Amino acid sequence: MEAQGLVDVTTVIPDIHVSLMYARADNFVGRVMYRDLHRAYLLPETAAALKKAQTALQKAHPELSLKVYDATRPMSVQQQMWNIVAGTSKSIYVSNPKNGGGLHNYGLAVDITLCWRNDVRNAQGKLLHTAGDTTGLSMGTPIDYLGKLAHVRDETEFLERGWLKKEHIQRRQWLRTAMAAGGFKVLPTEWWHFNFKTRAQAKAHYKVVR
């Protein structure tokens, strides 16, 4: 990753939390995809933008932090992922490498959520949440959820139907506001996925990470 010009996100944002979901089997693919990758890497400009987002979040909500679940995804892994989902209903959620892949493959996208910035204790000093814990910060669906409840554009309808709660939408808005401060745009079908550039910009000015 570093040889291809990427940086470890934690070297730019020391207090950010990272838990790569494809380094585990509890993801929508159902298997470990990152066998040798356990750190989040991004292009330097993307990491700098993410630092702005972290600063904006903590200015508005000092008790919170960003937590990265996926960052740069090598195209070799993208191909393996595509091979697993090709021909299934899950294929719409994976960019086909033949078409240039997705922004994760350029170091220009992150999958991210909110977590506790520091340990949280009650008045008696009992530990309730450790730093980086997402418990109590539900966003309405788990990250990597494949379904309509993850869609951003229909949140008001889901609230009216009782499928999402007010606090779910509020936290999603906090996340979007913070990420927008860094120049990121949310993917309409995945509340956790944020792009730093467009596909056209990526193909024109950036190289795919192998």
Side-chain angles (χ1 to χ4, degrees), residues 43-142:
L43 288 174
E45 61 185 290
T46 314
L50 190 59
K51 183 175 182 178
K52 291 181 181 179
Q54 173 84 319
T55 299
L57 173 68
Q58 294 179 341
K59 184 177 180 180
H61 308 283
E63 75 281 10
L64 301 180
S65 172
L66 297 173
K67 185 173 185 177
V68 178
Y69 276 88
D70 197 24
T72 300
R73 184 186 307 153
M75 188 62 88
S76 57
V77 176
Q78 187 74 22
Q79 184 65 59
Q80 294 172 26
M81 191 177 290
W82 175 255
N83 292 344
I84 293 170
V85 303
T88 74
S89 60
K90 295 180 180 180
S91 64
I92 61 173
Y93 296 96
V94 179
S95 297
N96 190 337
K98 289 185 178 180
N99 299 327
L103 292 173
H104 279 296
N105 307 129
Y106 291 86
L108 294 169
V110 289
D111 291 337
I112 204 159
T113 190
L114 302 176
C115 68
W116 299 107
R117 182 178 184 178
N118 301 303
D119 291 350
V120 179
R121 298 179 182 273
N122 64 15
Q124 290 72 42
K126 181 181 178 181
L127 181 64
L128 301 178
H129 307 290
T130 58
D133 188 3
T134 60
T135 305
L137 294 172
S138 172
M139 310 291 270
T141 75

Side-chain angles (χ1 to χ4, degrees), residues 38-39 44-45 48 86 88-90 97 112 136 151 154 156 164 183 205:
H38 300 284
R39 296 178 179 272
E45 61 185 290
T88 74
S89 60
K90 295 180 180 180
I112 204 159
H151 294 189
D154 302 318
T156 300
L164 288 179
H205 303 293

